[in-house]
Amino acid sequence: MADLPPDTGGLREIDGRGLSAIPGLIDCHTHPCFGGDRVNEFSLRAAGASYERLHAAGGGILSTVRATRAAGEEELIQTTMRHRAWMRAHGTTTFEGKSGYGLDRDTELAQLRAVRSAGGIPTWLGAHTVPPEFTDADAYLDFLLADVLEEAAGLAEAADVFLERGSFDARQARRYLEACRDAGLALRLHGDQFTESGAISLAIDLGARSVDHLEATGSAGVAQLAASDVTGVLLPASSLFLARPMPPARELADAGALIALATDFNPGSAFCDSLPLVLSLACTQMKLAPEEALVAATANAAHVLGRADRIGRLQPGFAADIVLLDALDWRHVAYHLAGDVVHTVIEGGAVVFRRTA
Ligand code: NIG
Ligand code: FE
């Protein structure tokens, strides 16, 4: 305190007695811009329907595509801002947001603009799945690369693809990602969610920033990722929501892989906006230490977003993005399962959320 310049009247003091401070949480993988919801599908899954089979039958992602196309751009902006407010209340001060529910030119671009207007970092997920008006994935990619890529590259920071049976195979994913890289975008992949289909090899080969999901990754994939500088982004809320295996976080960390944690917030596979819940899952289900989990959702997530020099640490020269927790020991952020632990959220030095009562 003695080293601070004198207060000339402009300083706002925040009483932090009884609280602890962590860096603002960074959600580096979300799908926050969509129309409608999937609550009916949620009931069907509760009755035993499988996520992959619903998708294959034209539901799942494609039902959100129909609702997103029907919403206007203004509604998409309002919805994304609403979701941003939910995330903030859980301590998220930076979020990435993907397109991927338009799958036509206008709606994909509208989604990217909506994410940006809501304060997010846009990623172009044009290659999420093949929309019904195309009979095959290559014809759809022809369209994306000829008619959407140039404008998408002006709006997004990164490109992403769903490399999985029922969406795109490794050859198609490579084709899309190489074109996106040539247009100046950083690269991300949804990979190894249900099957190991070559996502890790492709990510390494193309110098992608991350490969995300990894629920199906076996020991060879763990070793391969650990020997690379590609970050594995783990999404345990999606495993929980779909009753699927957790990704091999402990094995990855022990092998020396770079890992980040994110919510994967979306209406189908993870309707979850809470990074504190993800940190709880990381510690209880994947056996990460609270310290490892916190770094994975702050500094490492900042690295995935190309911002490791600016956000994710409480350190001089970094943005004043700070979460005050209602506990003297910061580990309560993970320990208090779905608890109301976030007291105050400060973004760029300004209070943007304060818990009431
Ligand atoms: O990360 N797996 C592909 N995409 C999203 C889910 C999209 C959806 O179900 O709407 C995910 O899980
Ligand atoms: Fe995702």
Side-chain angles (χ1 to χ4, degrees):
M1 292 299 282
D3 294 338
L4 291 175
D7 177 12
T8 50
L11 279 185
R12 170 161 177 215
E13 276 189 36
I14 296 171
D15 187 349
R17 279 175 295 184
L19 310 177
S20 55
I22 58 170
L25 300 173
I26 298 172
D27 202 339
C28 66
H29 181 141
T30 86
H31 308 246
C33 179
F34 54 85
D37 62 38
R38 303 253 283 279
V39 68
N40 289 334
E41 175 182 316
F42 182 71
S43 290
L44 292 174
R45 287 200 298 104
S50 104
Y51 175 82
E52 278 197 286
R53 253 181 269 131
L54 288 162
H55 174 74
I61 295 172
L62 289 172
S63 71
T64 299
V65 169
R66 289 188 284 277
T68 305
R69 287 177 176 180
E73 184 158 348
E74 190 48 38
E75 185 184 322
L76 291 178
I77 294 171
Q78 293 309 320
T79 304
T80 312
M81 292 191 38
R82 181 161 177 250
H83 297 156
R84 195 256 293 253
W86 294 353
M87 294 185 213
R88 262 184 175 163
H90 294 296
T92 296
T93 52
T94 301
F95 73 100
E96 176 259 18
K98 302 175 196 297
S99 67
Y101 291 127
L103 312 184
D104 63 24
R105 186 176 171 284
D106 289 351
T107 318
E108 282 294 309
L109 299 175
Q111 281 196 282
L112 295 174
R113 286 191 294 266
V115 169
R116 196 173 281 286
S117 326
I121 301 169
T123 295
W124 184 41
L125 179 56
H128 197 185
T129 198
V130 180
E133 58 274 20
F134 289 88
T135 43
D136 72 88
D138 279 293
Y140 176 56
L141 292 180
D142 290 343
F143 154 75
L144 282 184
L145 301 181
D147 291 5
V148 194
L149 170 61
E150 193 180 329
E151 274 186 84
L155 293 166
E157 291 196 7
D160 197 343
V161 58
F162 187 20
L163 171 40
E164 187 59 69
R165 64 184 175 202
S167 285
F168 298 92
D169 66 23
R171 180 190 58 77
Q172 292 154 349
R174 172 185 287 276
R175 183 181 165 215
Y176 171 78
L177 292 175
E178 282 180 344
C180 291
R181 181 189 60 190
D182 294 347
L185 292 167
L187 306 182
R188 317 268 311 259
L189 289 87
H190 280 68
D192 288 9
Q193 184 180 9
F194 299 101
T195 57
E196 288 187 285
S197 303
I200 292 179
S201 302
L202 185 60
I204 294 170
D205 200 40
L206 296 180
R209 286 224 179 116
S210 72
V211 53
D212 306 35
H213 271 291
L214 305 178
E215 290 92 316
T217 303
S219 53
V222 167
Q224 207 187 353
L225 193 61
S228 79
D229 53 15
V230 176
T231 302
V233 176
L234 311 179
L235 311 164
S238 163
S239 301
L240 181 74
F241 203 73
L242 297 183
R244 300 259 317 139
M246 290 284 161
R250 190 66 264 154
E251 292 81 345
L252 285 164
D254 287 343
L258 198 50
I259 56 175
L261 287 164
T263 59
D264 196 22
F265 175 70
N266 75 76
S269 73
F271 197 49
C272 170
D273 41 67
S274 168
L275 277 171
L277 179 69
V278 167
L279 299 186
S280 291
L281 294 172
C283 298
T284 60
Q285 308 303 302
M286 307 199 299
K287 302 296 176 221
L288 291 186
E291 292 79 0
E292 292 174 310
L294 183 64
V295 168
T298 53
N300 291 2
H303 175 69
V304 170
L305 298 178
R307 286 164 167 74
D309 58 341
R310 279 168 274 168
I311 54 173
R313 294 168 191 265
L314 298 181
Q315 196 171 295
F318 280 63
D321 295 344
I322 305 165
V323 175
L324 302 180
L325 301 171
D326 190 7
L328 277 174
D329 186 322
W330 67 266
R331 291 174 299 179
H332 280 243
V333 70
Y335 166 56
H336 197 159
L337 181 64
D340 196 6
V341 71
V342 171
H343 184 284
T344 299
V345 180
I346 300 163
E347 239 178 73
V351 173
V352 294
F353 172 80
R354 215 175 181 134
R355 203 179 69 185
T356 45

